[in-house]
């Protein structure tokens, strides 16, 4: 039996090594399920907390100019928002006029007059980035992994599209990654780049802009909403090349924002390749669209942490259902972004911005939740139209809680001590973040009435259930799903995360012996990295699996095997001093998805 299982595991590993995405940390040919001793995310010097700032896209799309951008930059400083952390000023699509015959990019100087410099064919963004840096701000810019950008495909009426021949209008980075990044970071001194992916998705031979000869055909790497037909490894490889160049020219603090909308198995590899990973299509200025952004992000706690954040898109505050006339909607929107540890990128015209909106996005207690240094994304619990999202904060016993009513009728929502990890019967202080005042202390649960389409944001400080143990469910930022057991063919649909906190991959609760348990649910044939930083003595868990196929579980501490187990058999492993603990589950999966498993009650003790 045991022998047969090992043989299966070996063949699984062989299959997996054919599918070598997510294995950035591995040498070619290495078994992706063998331990690496590394926490293999991108770079933690960049974006240690979710980036905050402003981007003109939601306010102006490509109808942007330097005066508008400089005006909003100045307003960030004048309103005090910059001092509160809103420091990135990121220009979006529309700035590139054409690609010159030597491969360099020419700036649209009608949009950025300061870029006109004597004897330069390209123009220079140096005066612009100098201006921002002089204000104490950071400068961000935009590109695409394909030959062309998104506005070229989707904003055909824009007055600011690239000009010239088909080739000259190829202002995306495809085939030019190293040179473009050198120009952008090395010469122009940007600090941040958002790199879109329309160029490898939306220029198929059958679409009118290509058929008409205006754009060259690109055999797509991303087929939207169809992962099995997409080529995730190629998408990942393009971002990997760009990421390497960004570190080379921009240094360790340069930020790479991946904009692949959760397509092409982005959750699997984006945390290894960049600092932000867009999870959804573009946010529109209505409630339903915002819900789509939330639903594509809120289960992704295991995919976020210092240096690698889920990105449900820029804030739509100031527009449509989130404008001055919809204060509850705007507050609910920001509440959910803060609890999800999302980037806070403002997208309304800050010149003469209404004070209530400035106050909303400037609420220091909300910002403290979003920017909490532990970097844990909140974990959701759903009941009907409400969602309770619990985020473990860095201070001992501290939690943030969002109580969210997505529906159109008033209701109430509750957070329980079990969800908070507080000792039963113990008391906790409760604070209303938006009102910035304490509420009555509570025991066992907090229940709040919620208006339609609204949210409350609370912070609580209480007594952890077990002072000597840290459940993995409370430190998702320290957990990285290095291998998730899926292939492009067996991948979950876009917007679904293969590994979840306190839930199985299909969303069912983790259950042991008919009782709910905490832990991490995912598929077998997976490898999970836990950043322990030498802080813990033991790792404990009871691995469980769905179905009857045998699964083997292995625990490694800095690459040394410290425990082997089977389904239902408790693990209590010595991990004293280990920097990285790896959890491997091995099963035979045939051609389908491996069985779902959970590291139930997984915890580290001191
Ligand atoms: C989209 C992207 C938007 C914006 C736009 C520019 O793909 O998701 O955030 O950057 O392209 O054309």
């Amino acid at each position: 039996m045991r022998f047969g299982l090992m043989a299966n595991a070996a063949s699984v590993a062989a299959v997996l090594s054919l599918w070598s995405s997510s294995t950035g940390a591995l040498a070619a040919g290495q078994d992706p399920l063998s331990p690496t001793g590394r926490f293999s995310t991108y770079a933690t010097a960049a974006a240690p907390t979710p980036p905050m700032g402003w981007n003109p896209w939601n306010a102006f799309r490509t109808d942007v100019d330097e005066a508008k951008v400089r005006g909003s930059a100045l307003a960030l400083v004048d309103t005090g928002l910059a001092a509160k952390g809103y420091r990135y000023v990121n220009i979006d699509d529309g700035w590139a006029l054409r690609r010159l015959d030597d491969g360099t990019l020419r700036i649209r100087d009608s949009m950025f007059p300061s870029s006109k410099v004597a004897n330069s064919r390209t123009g220079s963004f140096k005066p612009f980035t100098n201006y921002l840096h002089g204000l104490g701000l950071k400068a961000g810019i935009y590109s695409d992994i394909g030959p062309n950008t998104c506005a070229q495909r989707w904003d055909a009426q824009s007055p600011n599209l690239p000009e010239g021949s088909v080739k000259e209008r190829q202002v995306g980075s495809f085939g030019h990654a190293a040179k473009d990044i050198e120009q952008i970071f090395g010469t122009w001194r940007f600090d941040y780049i958002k790199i879109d992916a329309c160029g490898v998705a939306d220029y198929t031979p059958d679409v009118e802009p290509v058929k008409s000869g205006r754009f060259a055909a690109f055999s797509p790497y991303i087929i939207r909403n169809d992962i099995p037909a997409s080529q995730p490894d190629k998408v990942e490889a393009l971002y990997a090349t760009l990421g390497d160049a960004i570190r080379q020219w921009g240094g360790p603090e340069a930020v790479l924002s991946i904009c692949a909308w959760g397509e092409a198995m982005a959750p699997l590899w984006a945390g290894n390749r960049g600092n932000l990973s867009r999870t959804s299509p573009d946010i529109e200025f209505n409630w339903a669209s915002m819900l789509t952004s939330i639903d594509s992000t809120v289960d992704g706690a295991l995919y976020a942490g210092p240096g690698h954040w889920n990105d449900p898109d820029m804030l739509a505050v100031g527009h449509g259902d989130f404008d001055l006339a919809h204060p509850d909607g705007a507050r609910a929107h920001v509440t959910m972004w803060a609890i999800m540890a999302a980037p806070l990128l403002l997208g309304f015209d800050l010149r003469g911005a209404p004070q209530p909106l400035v106050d909303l996005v400037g609420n220091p207690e909300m910002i403290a939740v979003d920017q909490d240094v532990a970097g844990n994304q909140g974990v959701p619990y759903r009941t009907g139209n409400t969602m309770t999202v619990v985020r473990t904060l860095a201070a001992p016993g501290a939690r943030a809680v969002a109580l969210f009513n997505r529906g159109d009728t008033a209701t109430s929502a509750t957070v329980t001590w079990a969800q908070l990890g507080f000792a039963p019967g113990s008391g906790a202080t409760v604070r209303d973040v938006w009102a910035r005042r304490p509420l009555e202390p509570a025991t066992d649960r907090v229940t709040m009435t919620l208006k339609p389409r609204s949210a409350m944001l609370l912070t609580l400080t209480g007594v952890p259930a077990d002072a000597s143990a840290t459940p993995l469910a409370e430190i998702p930022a320290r957990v990285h799903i290095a291998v998730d057991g899926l292939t492009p063919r067996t991948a979950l649909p876009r917007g679904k995360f293969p590994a979840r906190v306190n839930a199985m991959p299909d969303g069912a609760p983790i259950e042991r012996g008919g009782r709910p348990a905490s832990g991490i649910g995912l598929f077998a044939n997976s490898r999970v990295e836990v950043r322990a930083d030498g802080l813990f003595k033991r790792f404990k868990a009871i691995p469980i699996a769905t179905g009857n196929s045998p699964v083997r579980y292995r625990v490694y501490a800095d690459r040394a095997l410290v425990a082997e187990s089977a389904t239902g058999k408790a693990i209590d492993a010595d991990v004293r001093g280990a920097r990285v603990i790896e959890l491997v589950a091995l099963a035979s999966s045939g051609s389908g998805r491996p069985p779902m498993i959970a590291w139930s009650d997984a915890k580290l003790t001191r």
Side-chain angles (χ1 to χ4, degrees), residues 119-134:
N119 305 321
S120 168
R121 291 174 71 210
T122 60
S124 175
F125 269 123
K126 262 320 274 302
F128 174 72
T129 59
N130 280 345
Y131 173 77
L132 294 179
H133 292 151

Side-chain angles (χ1 to χ4, degrees), residues 9-222:
S11 58
V12 162
V15 170
L16 279 173
S17 63
L18 293 176
W19 165 244
S20 61
S21 185
S22 86
T23 55
L26 298 174
Q30 196 179 333
D31 175 1
L33 294 181
S34 65
T36 66
R38 291 189 46 204
F39 192 72
S40 62
T41 57
Y42 182 61
T44 50
T49 61
M52 299 168 65
W54 181 84
N55 176 306
W57 183 256
N58 282 344
F60 305 116
R61 296 185 79 94
T62 61
D63 192 11
V64 66
D65 60 41
E66 187 164 0
K68 290 173 178 165
V69 181
R70 286 192 183 221
S72 278
L74 203 53
L76 279 180
V77 176
D78 290 345
T79 54
L81 290 174
K84 291 175 170 179
Y86 289 92
R87 58 195 186 121
Y88 287 98
V89 173
N90 301 337
I91 55 180
D92 209 280
D93 206 348
W95 64 267
L97 183 67
R98 71 173 76 212
R99 191 173 289 285
L100 301 177
D101 47 16
D102 64 357
T104 54
L105 288 164
R106 171 159 182 176
I107 302 165
R108 179 185 301 280
D109 56 25
S110 59
M111 187 186 270
F112 285 92
S114 79
S115 71
K116 269 188 247 178
V117 291
N119 305 321
S120 168
R121 291 174 71 210
T122 60
S124 175
F125 269 123
K126 262 320 274 302
F128 174 72
T129 59
N130 280 345
Y131 173 77
L132 294 179
H133 292 151
L135 290 175
L137 300 169
K138 300 268 186 191
I141 196 167
Y142 170 96
S143 185
D144 196 288
I145 54 173
N148 293 98
T149 73
C150 292
Q152 289 180 295
R153 180 70 178 83
W154 300 114
D155 285 60
Q157 305 313 315
S158 162
N160 288 322
L161 294 176
E163 294 172 5
S165 67
V166 168
K167 229 173 140 217
E168 286 171 314
R169 283 184 285 110
Q170 293 188 333
V171 297
S173 68
F174 192 83
H176 299 274
K179 280 278 165 218
D180 283 4
I181 295 303
E182 179 181 350
Q183 192 174 17
I184 287 169
F185 285 87
T187 309
W188 294 337
R189 299 271 164 217
F190 280 91
D191 308 292
Y192 179 118
I193 189 165
K194 164 175 163 184
I195 307 188
D196 227 327
C198 292
V200 301
D202 302 330
Y203 294 86
T204 50
D206 55 318
V207 301
E208 188 282 329
V210 173
K211 278 201 287 197
S212 67
R214 282 184 289 129
F215 295 95
F218 191 97
S219 179
Y221 296 171
I222 294 177

Side-chain angles (χ1 to χ4, degrees), residues 380-437:
Y381 303 90
R382 297 169 169 89
T383 321
N385 264 337
T386 69
M387 209 189 286
T388 297
V389 189
V390 176
R391 181 170 175 183
T392 307
L393 303 177
R399 311 280 187 264
V401 175
L403 300 172
F404 179 58
N405 179 7
R406 58 196 290 146
D408 290 325
T409 49
T411 184
S412 67
T414 295
V415 63
T416 66
W417 262 217
Q419 290 163 344
L420 292 162
F422 287 169
S426 64
T429 60
V430 187
R431 207 170 151 82
D432 179 337
V433 165
W434 289 115
R436 302 191 61 194
R437 62 180 175 85

